[in-house]
C-alpha cells in the first residue's frame, strides 16, 4: 500500500512524498524488499528513481504506484495513489470609493480562494487577519495572504475619491440701481458626484438667514437685490460646499 508522507505545499510544486507500506513475503537481508516506483504519464506508467527505497520524494500532482519484490522474487503492485496538489491560492480585491473628497469613507474587501485554509492576512495599513478595511482614505491598498502550507498570494487595489466640489465660471452681477432686484449669481459646478442640489439663503439680520430657495437643481440665483447670500451645494453622496456672496 501507499500513504502520503508529505503533502504538496502549493500548486505547481514538486515537494510531495509517498511512503510504501509492505509486510509479509521473504525479506531481503539489509534491504527488506525491492521497491520500484511508477508515475502515470498519459496512458503509460513510467518508472521513477528513488534513493530511499520505500520513500519517493520530489513528487508533483499525479497518479503513482509501487511494485514490491521480496527475496523469492515474488512481486506485488499497489493500487494507484493520487497525490493531489492544492488549488492555486488567489486573492481578489474589491474597492468602494470614498464618498467625498478627502473623507475616510472608502472600503476594501478581499476574497480568498484556493490554497489550504486557514489564511493569515496582512495589509499595508498594519491591519492583520481581516478581509475588510473600512472607513479608509483614498489611496493604494495591498494585501499579503499566506495559507497554512506557507503558499502566498498578494494583490493591490486603489480606493478612489471624487474631485472636490468647485464653482467654475463664476459670474456675479450687482443690482443695476438702488433697491432694484436684477442682480444674479451664475456658475458651473464641477467635482463631487452629480446630480447637485442648490439651497440659497439670505442674511436678513446678524446670524439670521432666510432660506428662499429650498433646493433648485440649477446653478444660478436670479432676481437678487443687494445683500449677503449663502449657497449650500449638496451632491448625490451628501458631500457639501458652502459659499457666501456679499
Amino acid at each position: 500500500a501507499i500513504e502520503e508522507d508529505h503533502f504538496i505545499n502549493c500548486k505547481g510544486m514538486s515537494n510531495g512524498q509517498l511512503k510504501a507500506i509492505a509486510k509479509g513475503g521473504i525479506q531481503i537481508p539489509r534491504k527488506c524488499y525491492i521497491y520500484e516506483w511508477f508515475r502515470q504519464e498519459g496512458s503509460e506508467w513510467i518508472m521513477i528513481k528513488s534513493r530511499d527505497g520505500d520513500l519517493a520524494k520530489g513528487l508533483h500532482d499525479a497518479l503513482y504506484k509501487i511494485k514490491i519484490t521480496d527475496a523469492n522474487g515474488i512481486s506485488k503492485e499497489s493500487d494507484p495513489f493520487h497525490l493531489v496538489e492544492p488549488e492555486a491560492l488567489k486573492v481578489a480585491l474589491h474597492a468602494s470609493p470614498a464618498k467625498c473628497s478627502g473623507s475616510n469613507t472608502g472600503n476594501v474587501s478581499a476574497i480568498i480562494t484556493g490554497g489550504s485554509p486557514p489564511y493569515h492576512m496582512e495589509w499595508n495599513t498594519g491591519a492583520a487577519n481581516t478581509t475588510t478595511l473600512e472607513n479608509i482614505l483614498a489611496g493604494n491598498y495591498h494585501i499579503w495572504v499566506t495559507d497554512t502550507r506557507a503558499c502566498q498570494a498578494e494583490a493591490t487595489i486603489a480606493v478612489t475619491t471624487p474631485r472636490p466640489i468647485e464653482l467654475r465660471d463664476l459670474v456675479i452681477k450687482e443690482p443695476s440701481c438702488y433697491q432694484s432686484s436684477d442682480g444674479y449669481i451664475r456658475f458651473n459646478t464641477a467635482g463631487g458626484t452629480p446630480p447637485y442640489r442648490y439651497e440659497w439663503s439670505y442674511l436678513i439680520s446678524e446670524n439670521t438667514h432666510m432660506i428662499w430657495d429650498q433646493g433648485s437643481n440649477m446653478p444660478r440665483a436670479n432676481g437678487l437685490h443687494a445683500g449677503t447670500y449663502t449657497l449650500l451645494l449638496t451632491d448625490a453622496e451628501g458631500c457639501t460646499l458652502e459659499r457666501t456672496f456679499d
Side-chain angles (χ1 to χ4, degrees):
I2 297 175
E3 65 179 26
E4 187 176 271
D5 187 68
H6 187 279
F7 48 74
I8 300 173
N9 284 65
C10 310
K11 186 173 181 63
M13 284 189 171
S14 298
N15 66 337
Q17 294 181 188
L18 295 177
K19 185 175 180 62
I21 308 299
K23 60 183 180 180
I26 306 299
Q27 296 186 4
I28 301 171
R30 298 183 181 180
K31 296 179 62 176
C32 294
Y33 305 101
I34 296 173
Y35 300 90
E36 297 172 279
W37 288 92
F38 298 86
R39 178 177 62 244
Q40 188 176 46
E41 295 185 5
S43 60
E44 298 183 356
W45 288 92
I46 307 300
M47 182 181 290
I48 59 176
K49 295 180 180 180
S50 174
R51 297 180 179 178
D52 299 287
D54 64 340
L55 191 65
K57 300 180 179 179
L59 307 181
H60 57 73
D61 186 312
L63 281 172
Y64 296 88
K65 68 179 181 179
I66 191 167
K67 178 181 177 182
I68 301 175
T69 304
D70 70 2
N72 288 337
I74 298 174
S75 298
K76 178 73 174 180
E77 282 192 5
S78 70
D79 292 331
F81 184 96
H82 188 188
L83 182 61
V84 180
E85 67 181 3
E87 292 296 319
L89 177 63
K90 297 179 180 180
V91 56
L93 297 179
H94 173 74
S96 298
K99 292 182 178 180
C100 306
S101 177
S103 69
N104 60 337
T105 53
N107 296 288
V108 172
S109 60
I111 299 175
I112 304 170
T113 56
S116 304
Y119 308 112
H120 175 73
M121 294 144 279
E122 292 186 13
W123 296 85
N124 61 342
T125 61
N129 292 327
T130 177
T131 56
T132 58
L133 296 178
E134 298 179 333
N135 301 321
I136 53 178
L137 295 166
N140 293 322
Y141 293 88
H142 193 91
I143 189 174
W144 295 268
V145 179
T146 305
D147 71 4
T148 192
R149 296 186 180 182
C151 307
Q152 294 183 322
E154 57 186 282
T156 300
I157 199 167
V159 172
T160 60
T161 184
R163 292 184 294 114
I165 300 174
E166 298 179 76
L167 305 185
R168 293 183 176 178
D169 307 318
L170 178 63
V171 177
I172 301 175
K173 180 184 179 300
E174 303 288 347
S176 58
C177 303
Y178 177 69
Q179 293 189 337
S180 66
S181 55
D182 58 352
Y184 60 76
I185 301 171
R186 298 175 184 175
F187 52 86
N188 292 315
T189 307
T193 305
Y196 309 104
R197 180 175 178 269
Y198 306 89
E199 182 178 281
W200 292 90
S201 61
Y202 173 64
L203 182 65
I204 56 177
S205 64
E206 187 176 359
N207 299 323
T208 303
H209 287 80
M210 179 182 69
I211 298 175
W212 57 274
D213 190 331
Q214 292 284 354
S216 168
N217 60 0
M218 301 300 292
R220 66 177 63 93
N222 298 316
L224 306 182
H225 54 72
T228 300
Y229 298 87
T230 298
L231 166 68
L232 178 62
L233 193 162
T234 306
D235 74 359
E237 294 290 350
C239 310
T240 60
L241 171 70
E242 188 171 306
R243 179 80 178 270
T244 297
F245 304 90
D246 295 314

